[in-house]
Amino acid sequence: DGGITQSPKYLFRKEGQNVTLSCEQNLNHDAMYWYRQDPGQGLRLIYYSQIVNDFQKGDIAEGYSVSREKKESFPLTVTSAQKNPTAFYLCASSIGMTGRAKNIQYFGAGTRLSVL
Amino acid sequence: GQSLEQPSEVTAVEGAIVQINCTYQTSGFYGLSWYQQHDGGAPTFLSYNALDGLEETGRFSSFLSRSDSYGYLLLQELQMKDSASYFCAVNSGYSTLTFGKGTMLLVSP
């Protein structure tokens, strides 16, 4: 089955530690995205990538880093510089630049990150 | 900047019809999407409007008025499984979406 796989489902971070969230897709999509969701809040864009070896900052990129070395993979690192990392992190993918056409994003099941 | 406004919570009973409104202010606009998210789950795409008017997909319909910067999602014949959060999102044409804060729909028996 085609889809997006995020791992782990739950993750705990110690003070001063960097942690990496995995996101893999087998939909052959060009574009991939990382969102952060806090309780009662919408989805806020952290980083996105429209093509391999290229990515752009979203609205809340500070304290996060990404890489896009392969089309199917877009890992997110939450660095120690992110002082409030506790949140639900969602990865998504889409076919890419669509102009006026609908840009359907397909989401993974998410990773819930907590600070110890 | 971009901003989307939608009610934080809506309640309804099984079998009823409910409308979730969304108003937006964005620097660019190509279309309005709606996503459903069950508690703790992955958001899933429901519908998209690029032009004014109503789009119908089974029990769900979505409406857009570009001149009013306004859209809504209409859910008919409500079922308990429709209890979820619903997000409107603007497609500004750069392959990214800007999401609203979501409306939690509570369906009671």
Side-chain angles (χ1 to χ4, degrees):
Chain A
D1 282 340
I4 300 180
T5 302
Q6 288 187 242
S7 62
K9 190 173 178 65
Y10 300 96
L11 186 59
F12 298 92
R13 193 191 89 166
K14 296 179 181 177
E15 291 289 335
Q17 185 182 42
N18 292 353
V19 292
T20 298
L21 285 61
S22 170
C23 178
E24 304 276 332
Q25 56 99 357
N26 59 5
L27 299 168
N28 199 33
H29 285 166
D30 285 319
M32 296 187 74
Y33 314 82
W34 274 106
Y35 293 93
R36 170 178 173 142
Q37 187 174 32
D38 294 282
Q41 299 295 311
L43 283 67
R44 292 185 291 167
L45 185 64
I46 305 173
Y47 269 98
Y48 66 102
S49 167
Q50 295 177 358
I51 198 168
V52 174
N53 292 322
D54 187 46
F55 49 82
Q56 287 79 41
K57 293 182 180 180
D59 300 318
I60 55 166
E62 186 173 349
Y64 301 97
S65 66
V66 294
S67 63
R68 186 85 188 276
E69 297 176 0
K70 298 185 296 182
K71 185 175 185 177
E72 59 271 21
S73 178
F74 191 41
L76 173 74
T77 296
V78 184
T79 75
S80 57
Q82 173 49 247
K83 298 306 179 186
N84 183 23
T86 297
F88 188 48
Y89 291 87
L90 287 159
C91 178
S93 71
S94 73
I95 60 173
M97 291 290 288
T98 58
R100 294 187 179 275
K102 55 189 170 186
N103 175 26
I104 299 176
Q105 294 191 5
Y106 297 85
F107 287 82
T111 293
R112 198 166 294 279
L113 176 62
S114 301
V115 176
L116 290 177
Chain B
Q2 320 264 64
S3 72
L4 291 88
E5 296 290 332
Q6 50 181 131
S8 59
E9 187 174 305
V10 172
T11 59
V13 297
E14 268 188 305
I17 299 172
V18 72
Q19 178 174 313
I20 299 173
N21 299 321
C22 175
T23 58
Y24 58 87
Q25 285 187 311
T26 58
S27 55
F29 182 85
Y30 279 177
L32 187 70
S33 298
W34 288 91
Y35 284 76
Q36 178 192 60
Q37 183 184 32
H38 286 98
D39 192 29
T44 56
F45 172 81
L46 290 177
S47 69
Y48 177 75
N49 295 71
L51 303 175
D52 286 358
L54 193 69
E55 293 281 343
E56 297 182 71
T57 309
R59 293 189 297 116
F60 294 0
S61 303
S62 58
F63 172 83
L64 176 66
S65 169
R66 295 172 66 110
S67 60
D68 295 323
S69 297
Y70 163 76
Y72 66 72
L73 180 69
L74 191 72
L75 297 84
Q76 303 182 64
E77 301 172 19
L78 280 174
Q79 302 175 10
M80 296 293 290
K81 66 178 182 179
D82 297 328
S83 291
S85 290
Y86 293 84
F87 297 88
C88 58
V90 166
N91 173 5
S92 301
Y94 298 101
S95 86
T96 63
L97 297 175
T98 301
F99 286 84
K101 292 188 176 181
T103 299
M104 184 179 294
L105 171 64
L106 302 172
V107 180
S108 57

